[in-house]
Amino acid sequence: MGRHDSDAVRITSATRSHSDDIASRQRRYVISMTIRTVCFLLAVVFAGGFLMWIFIIASFVLPYVAVVVANAGAAPDPGGPEDFDPGRKQIEPPREM
């Protein structure tokens, strides 16, 4: 029947879907909390030394940073409408019967 073109034509500059945005925020938060956990474990490993205090401070600051980064607004989709391409095939009008 119809021809299916594999190239999708972008006609809007809309942002990502809500579910994609939530997934991206969750991923950033989990990464930040993982870094915080590593900092806390390194503070235990370097107990009594100067590095212990740096890792403890980092483990206290990172939750705040993680929440701020995770709650940042939805990033606009970097793409936009495609430029007009005169060489691209046009949709043909329906045939008369």
Side-chain angles (χ1 to χ4, degrees):
M1 296 205 78
R3 182 182 73 125
H4 294 287
D5 197 1
S6 62
D7 295 337
V9 178
R10 183 181 190 92
I11 59 171
T12 182
S13 59
T15 59
R16 293 182 294 197
S17 69
H18 184 65
S19 59
D20 288 343
D21 184 45
I22 295 294
S24 174
R25 290 178 188 213
Q26 288 175 339
R27 188 172 32 258
R28 288 186 300 219
Y29 185 79
V30 167
I31 290 170
S32 297
M33 287 296 102
T34 302
I35 293 171
R36 177 190 185 221
T37 303
V38 169
C39 285
F40 181 77
L41 293 174
L42 288 173
V44 171
V45 170
F46 291 104
F50 173 71
L51 288 176
M52 175 189 75
W53 293 108
I54 293 174
F55 291 127
I56 287 176
I57 291 170
S59 66
F60 279 113
V61 172
L62 279 172
Y64 172 76
V65 172
V67 169
V68 170
V69 169
N71 288 332
D77 203 353
E82 288 184 354
D83 293 332
F84 176 69
D85 181 12
R88 190 174 181 116
K89 288 187 174 183
Q90 297 179 358
I91 297 175
E92 297 180 18
R95 296 185 182 134
E96 293 183 30
M97 293 188 162

